[in-house]
């Protein structure tokens, strides 16, 4: 876990933070379509799911209500980032400390599928990346800048190293 997934989990967390941070505080309800989640709702879904997946893997069972519920007091992207930072640190530390035997145990995901606990780390990353892509697509129409994610963006071009 520590050599394969934890470095990527921490890298994706930093990128997710940058996308959430870019959401304008006065546009948290913005959505591209009535069927879509609002910006803060989507950002909260990403942050809470990350924390709930890590806790579920460490616990050997998923309880998204207990492990990934964003408090009702979270009203802004800044509030969400404060909660995410605190909750992520605890959940990722517990995940990093999970023993290999526990990572190999089978976990049921709400009756949808059963996989070894460690496989849910990969699913968690795919889930976060998928929804973060949706949220990043909201930014420009909301009047915000799109941060660099896996390379430069029009708003934050990639910085190339100086030639020797």
């Amino acid at each position: 876990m520590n050599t394969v997934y934890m470095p990527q989990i921490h890298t994706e967390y930093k990128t997710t933070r940058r996308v959430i941070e870019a959401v304008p505080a006065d546009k948290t309800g913005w959505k591209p379509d009535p069927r879509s989640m609002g910006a803060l709702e989507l950002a909260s879904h990403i942050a809470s799911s990350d924390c709930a997946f890590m806790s579920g893997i460490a616990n050997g069972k998923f309880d998204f209500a207990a492990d990934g519920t964003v408090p009702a007091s979270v009203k802004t992207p800044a509030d969400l980032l404060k909660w995410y930072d605190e909750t992520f640190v605890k959940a990722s530390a517990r995940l990093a400390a999970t023993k290999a035997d526990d990572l190999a145990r089978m976990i049921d995901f709400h009756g949808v599928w059963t996989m070894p606990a460690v496989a849910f780390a990969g699913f968690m990353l795919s889930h976060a990346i998928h929804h973060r892509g949706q949220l990043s697509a909201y930014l420009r129409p909301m009047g915000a800048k799109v941060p660099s994610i896996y390379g430069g963006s029009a708003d934050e071009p990639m910085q190339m190293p100086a030639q020797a």
Side-chain angles (χ1 to χ4, degrees), residues 54-62 94 102 105-108 117:
M54 289 187 289
S55 293
I57 294 165
N59 293 336
K61 65 183 174 90
F62 293 106
R94 286 197 58 236
D102 293 328
R105 71 183 161 210
M106 300 300 282
I107 300 178
D108 175 70

Side-chain angles (χ1 to χ4, degrees), residues 43-59:
S44 295
H45 175 67
I46 298 164
S48 65
S49 295
D50 279 356
C51 297
F53 271 113
M54 289 187 289
S55 293
I57 294 165
N59 293 336

Side-chain angles (χ1 to χ4, degrees), residues 46-127:
I46 298 164
S48 65
S49 295
D50 279 356
C51 297
F53 271 113
M54 289 187 289
S55 293
I57 294 165
N59 293 336
K61 65 183 174 90
F62 293 106
D63 184 351
F64 278 66
D67 298 324
T69 299
V70 175
S73 61
V74 170
K75 304 287 186 202
T76 67
D79 295 341
L80 178 60
L81 287 172
K82 183 177 185 309
W83 177 86
Y84 187 34
D85 290 344
E86 293 167 1
T87 309
F88 182 93
V89 166
K90 292 174 192 167
S92 64
R94 286 197 58 236
L95 180 58
T98 303
K99 304 285 186 229
D101 287 348
D102 293 328
L103 292 170
R105 71 183 161 210
M106 300 300 282
I107 300 178
D108 175 70
F109 186 76
H110 307 292
V112 178
W113 63 83
T114 301
M115 300 189 294
V118 70
F120 285 101
F123 181 80
M124 176 195 85
L125 290 165
S126 296
H127 176 268

